[in-house]
Amino acid sequence: MTHYLRSARSLTAGATLCSGIAAYLATTDTPLLAVVPVYVAGLLAWGAAKDYGHHHQALVEHEQARRAAAVHGPGSTRPPDPTAELHAACCAEGFVSRGADHEPTCPTRTTRSSAA
């Protein structure tokens, strides 16, 4: 919860309280006094709406920063080249011959051809 959300909830409670006071004053002998709490309730509701917007913006910025850090942050185990495992898996001859022939330095030296 951000401080914007706490502030917005407080302002919303104040606006609700002022609306209740205005409703009560509207039923008394002097309904003209209800204008002041209605104005204050409007200002508090406007402030609450602004703080809810700031809270939402802070959440969006936090989520964007989290996603940006998760792509390739420090300590990422994802290889920069998705085909790096394929290139390191076998030698060039084995790759060209589909596993039938291997170079002397090939780490696997296994026949991968279904014809053999």
Side-chain angles (χ1 to χ4, degrees):
M1 176 176 1
T2 63
H3 67 280
Y4 293 118
L5 184 60
R6 284 191 296 273
S7 175
R9 287 180 177 173
S10 299
L11 290 172
T12 301
T16 304
L17 180 65
C18 285
S19 297
I21 292 171
Y24 170 74
L25 290 175
T27 61
T28 61
D29 294 334
T30 55
L32 192 56
L33 290 177
V35 172
V36 174
V38 166
Y39 180 74
V40 171
L43 285 178
L44 292 175
W46 175 77
K50 296 291 274 184
D51 279 349
Y52 279 124
H54 289 304
H55 168 71
H56 178 71
Q57 183 64 31
L59 291 180
V60 167
E61 288 172 358
H62 175 73
E63 181 65 19
Q64 288 174 344
R66 186 190 67 79
R67 287 184 180 180
V71 174
H72 282 294
S76 176
T77 59
R78 184 175 175 192
D81 180 17
T83 60
E85 286 185 43
L86 176 65
H87 295 306
C90 197
C91 60
E93 260 183 52
F95 184 73
V96 173
S97 66
R98 298 180 191 253
D101 298 324
H102 294 277
E103 293 176 353
T105 59
C106 179
T108 59
R109 288 192 180 223
T110 57
T111 304
R112 297 183 184 177
S113 175
S114 61

